[in-house]
Amino acid sequence: MEKRKILSNSTKMTFLSILFGLIITAIILFIAGYNPLQVYYVIVKGVFSKPKYISYTIIKSTPLILTGLSVAFAFKTGLFNIGAEGQFIIGTIVASLLGYFLKLPYIIHPIVIILFASLAGGVWGAIAGYLKARFGINEVISTIMLNWIALYAHNAVINIPAFLARTNKAHPIRETASIVFMEGFKKSESGKEWLMDHPQIRDILKTPLNYGFIIAIIVAVIVWYVLNKTTLGFRLRAVGSNKFAAEYGGINVKKSIVTSMGISGCISGMAGALMILGVSKGITTLAATEGYGFDGIAVALIGSNSPIACIFSGLFFGTLKYGGSKIQSPPIGAPTEVINIMIGTIIFFIAIPRIIYLYRRFKTKKEVIE
């Protein structure tokens, strides 16, 4: 009875999975000749020892929170949006184009860009939803193909003569499109003088800290509200739980699938826009996908597909990604792949209770049929 209670509590299982992941990674590090405690110390120190490290961790976590929300939203409605990567890329393309070609005043410019980039990501996601609703094409297959199309479209757009700044690099966005926190102030003479007297704030503002994290939290709350407090959320979750029962109850299943993938794509497209406006300020030729969308799957799983939990799982994932990069330097000198092993192990243990649940469900169905 107690065992069943533990397995049904997703929060406890997530913490246990993280603990198991840390223990197994420690064993692997020990076998490989590294001191696990020293490695973990370097990761923690690399994230929390300076204000700018914390700032970089938040910046690193922001797109992961949003792509995690995107995947979690689709999961909640019974869909597997593996195309968050492609929708993220489409968001970066639109944000970069509008950031350079569009001339608008401060504040209005980034708002317009975020809206259009989100819309573009939504259309990209809705394509996969339409293909599933109209022709029954599995969204996993269609979104994988759309990811590749988005990647090559990204590289093709950079080579537009009016957009190409130099080899493999597009023109950066205009200053009016930036969402970096106090960017104008910290570049001004009075700002530099003020920051000299405030070393802690100066250390934070050395990084491209931007409004993206605040936007990501607001989006997480909105997604939670839509899913749990609105008729639209009820319909989408009903289709995800049992589409036949939902259809019998008068819900338009096909429309719900397209809507769900569209909203999911919107969130990933927004993640791409915030990355351009707040961090990279432009796009360069990609040899491969950057992985933000795929990492979003892990963030959603660690957060048990809860919109609010995705904030914390995104921060946790960002901490591992940013802090993990510090273990390459002396005196550790360990490969960063260790971090990927840790994340993979955590997700493996998170998946185990669900596999047990699915097995029990399958076994119960089989017994009923017999």
Side-chain angles (χ1 to χ4, degrees):
M1 191 70 183
E2 185 64 24
K3 186 180 178 183
R4 184 180 294 176
K5 185 180 176 183
I6 291 172
L7 288 176
S8 64
N9 192 321
S10 60
T11 305
K12 287 180 181 177
M13 281 309 304
T14 299
F15 281 114
L16 279 174
S17 303
I18 292 170
L19 181 63
F20 281 128
L22 293 173
I23 292 171
I24 289 180
T25 306
I27 294 170
I28 293 170
L29 284 166
F30 182 76
I31 293 171
Y34 300 103
N35 184 338
L37 293 176
Q38 192 180 13
V39 170
Y40 289 149
Y41 173 73
V42 168
I43 292 173
V44 173
K45 186 183 174 186
V47 173
F48 298 105
S49 60
K50 288 186 179 180
K52 71 175 181 181
Y53 294 162
I54 297 174
S55 179
Y56 273 123
T57 303
I58 291 171
I59 293 166
K60 189 84 176 173
S61 302
T62 300
L64 298 173
I65 292 170
L66 286 169
T67 52
L69 279 171
S70 170
V71 176
F73 187 90
F75 271 142
K76 283 281 188 183
T77 55
L79 296 164
F80 187 17
N81 181 18
I82 205 170
E85 186 70 36
Q87 295 142 20
F88 177 90
I89 293 172
I90 293 298
T92 62
I93 295 171
V94 174
S96 190
L97 283 168
L98 295 182
Y100 175 66
F101 288 109
L102 202 61
K103 294 179 181 177
L104 288 172
Y106 286 99
I107 301 176
I108 295 174
H109 200 175
I111 291 173
V112 169
I113 291 172
I114 291 169
L115 288 176
F116 275 94
S118 303
L119 185 63
V123 171
W124 204 252
I127 292 171
Y130 177 77
L131 292 173
K132 182 181 179 69
R134 181 71 176 83
F135 304 106
I137 298 172
N138 191 295
E139 73 275 16
V140 173
I141 296 170
S142 58
T143 49
I144 289 173
M145 295 298 106
L146 286 167
N147 284 346
W148 286 106
I149 294 170
L151 174 66
Y152 292 120
H154 175 279
N155 291 344
V157 167
I158 291 173
N159 290 310
I160 295 173
F163 194 40
L164 185 68
R166 54 183 173 82
T167 307
N168 298 329
K169 188 174 177 64
H171 282 288
I173 60 169
R174 296 176 184 277
E175 282 189 15
T176 52
S178 174
I179 59 167
V180 173
F181 190 60
M182 297 174 69
E183 190 170 37
F185 173 74
K186 65 184 181 183
K187 287 180 179 176
S188 66
E189 289 302 320
S190 59
K192 288 176 183 175
E193 193 175 326
W194 186 85
L195 289 171
M196 286 299 290
D197 298 329
H198 299 81
Q200 297 290 331
I201 298 174
R202 187 181 65 210
D203 198 39
I204 293 172
L205 294 183
K206 279 180 181 175
T207 69
L209 187 65
N210 56 71
Y211 296 100
F213 184 64
I214 298 170
I215 295 171
I217 292 174
I218 293 170
V219 172
V221 174
I222 292 172
V223 168
W224 175 86
Y225 185 82
V226 169
L227 281 172
N228 297 290
K229 301 292 180 183
T230 65
T231 307
L232 173 65
F234 173 77
R235 287 177 178 172
L236 297 179
R237 284 189 292 113
V239 173
S241 298
N242 189 324
K243 66 179 182 180
F244 300 109
E247 192 168 23
Y248 184 76
I251 296 173
N252 188 332
V253 174
K254 291 182 178 179
K255 184 181 175 184
S256 295
I257 291 172
V258 177
T259 304
S260 178
M261 286 299 292
I263 294 173
S264 181
C266 272
I267 302 169
S268 290
M270 184 185 292
L274 295 179
M275 174 59 75
I276 293 296
L277 304 184
V279 183
S280 61
K281 301 295 183 72
I283 53 176
T284 55
T285 301
L286 295 174
T289 55
E290 294 178 283
Y292 287 105
F294 298 125
D295 289 342
I297 297 171
V299 170
L301 286 172
I302 294 173
S304 301
N305 299 323
S306 160
I308 303 302
C310 280
I311 298 171
F312 300 101
S313 60
L315 282 168
F316 174 70
F317 207 99
T319 300
L320 290 180
K321 283 279 184 181
Y322 180 69
S325 63
K326 304 293 178 72
I327 65 174
Q328 290 183 105
S329 308
I332 304 292
T336 52
E337 283 76 10
V338 169
I339 300 301
N340 293 328
I341 292 172
M342 187 191 299
I343 293 167
T345 309
I346 290 167
I347 293 170
F348 174 76
F349 280 106
I350 287 173
I352 283 179
R354 293 177 187 174
I355 293 170
I356 294 171
Y357 168 74
L358 289 172
Y359 172 73
R360 284 178 176 170
R361 195 175 169 186
F362 172 76
K363 196 177 175 184
T364 306
K365 276 187 179 178
K366 193 177 178 183
E367 286 172 357
V368 170
I369 293 170
E370 289 174 353

